[in-house]
Amino acid sequence: MEKLQVKDKTFAVSIPEAQILEAVKRVAGEINRDFDGKEPLFLPVLNGAFMFAADLLKEITIPCEVSFIKLASYQGTQTSGTIREVIGLAKDITGRHVIIVEDIIDSGLTMAHMIETLAAHNPASIAVCSCLVKPDALKVQIPIDYRCLDIPNDFIVGYGLDYDGFGRNTRDIYTLV
Ligand code: 5GP
Ligand code: MG
């Protein structure tokens, strides 16, 4: 099994590129079918989703727009806990069919917050498209309209996902050993 060293941790290939791309192609086909005539606006979430978004969009054949967003996390001064704000919403999403493109859904809390924030801008519809989902880690109920692959509750890197900022630049997905 091919190994990958990222800083102090060792990872091994768990999902090879071919398997990822096959699943991406299938999901793109579903979106092409469901959003025909709707001119959707894809909102990939930086940084993690950049590679998935690139592969997905290459397979989208219907007219569409793409605009990247990012979640900024900071510690609140008044309240306890982390506050996450959606930044970079450059496009007016009012009345648009938006498709959030995420790298991975773990607890689902990030996506729940994202959906709530975007819903306040009155889009025509919101769909969630995640490359990976950890079904056993989900803590909140969120609609996951499109998903490429379900994975076990293990820490992964590669294909856009990082460990401490590193390891995003691989074709395959790796699991911590
Ligand atoms: P959630 O809010 O669903 O628990 O977490 C989602 C975010 O946590 C993802 O966007 C991603 O940044 C990070 N994350 C969750 N699981 C993993 C993982 O296995 N590997 C990496 N690199 N990031 C993860
Ligand atoms: Mg992410």
Side-chain angles (χ1 to χ4, degrees):
M1 189 59 77
E2 201 200 317
K3 295 281 201 300
L4 174 75
Q5 186 71 29
V6 184
K7 301 188 112 179
D8 60 324
K9 299 212 182 319
T10 306
F11 297 81
V13 171
S14 51
I15 313 175
E17 180 183 26
Q19 194 183 337
I20 302 167
L21 294 181
E22 189 189 317
V24 170
K25 208 166 178 171
R26 169 182 52 77
V27 162
E30 292 169 15
I31 293 174
N32 284 330
R33 179 197 65 207
D34 295 348
F35 286 84
D36 190 20
K38 291 186 171 173
E39 300 192 348
L41 169 61
F42 288 88
L43 298 178
V45 185
L46 293 172
N47 293 322
F50 77 97
M51 212 175 272
F52 170 48
D55 285 336
L56 180 75
L57 269 298
K58 281 185 256 182
E59 301 289 344
I60 296 295
T61 52
I62 56 172
C64 66
E65 288 186 282
V66 188
S67 186
F68 287 81
I69 55 175
K70 190 161 182 158
L71 277 178
S73 300
Y74 54 92
Q75 297 296 322
T77 48
Q78 302 296 316
T79 56
S80 57
T82 305
I83 294 167
R84 280 166 299 178
E85 185 192 357
V86 178
I87 58 170
L89 204 55
K91 283 267 165 196
D92 181 11
I93 66 167
T94 307
R96 298 296 304 271
H97 293 283
V98 305
I99 303 174
I100 305 168
V101 179
E102 253 290 25
D103 50 0
I104 187 165
I105 294 174
D106 189 349
S107 69
L109 290 165
T110 305
M111 187 52 73
H113 180 262
M114 181 75 81
I115 293 168
E116 195 186 310
T117 305
L118 294 179
H121 294 259
N122 299 310
S125 66
I126 299 175
V128 173
C129 175
S130 188
C131 183
L132 304 163
V133 179
K134 294 180 182 174
D136 298 335
L138 280 172
K139 286 195 185 121
V140 284
Q141 269 218 317
I142 46 165
I144 306 173
D145 304 273
Y146 306 96
R147 63 172 83 186
C148 296
L149 299 158
D150 282 353
I151 60 166
N153 210 351
D154 301 318
F155 188 76
I156 58 146
V157 292
Y159 196 61
L161 289 115
D162 73 305
Y163 164 55
D164 204 11
F166 287 79
R168 296 189 193 275
N169 52 312
T170 68
R171 294 171 177 270
D172 307 313
I173 289 170
Y174 295 77
T175 298
L176 185 65
V177 291

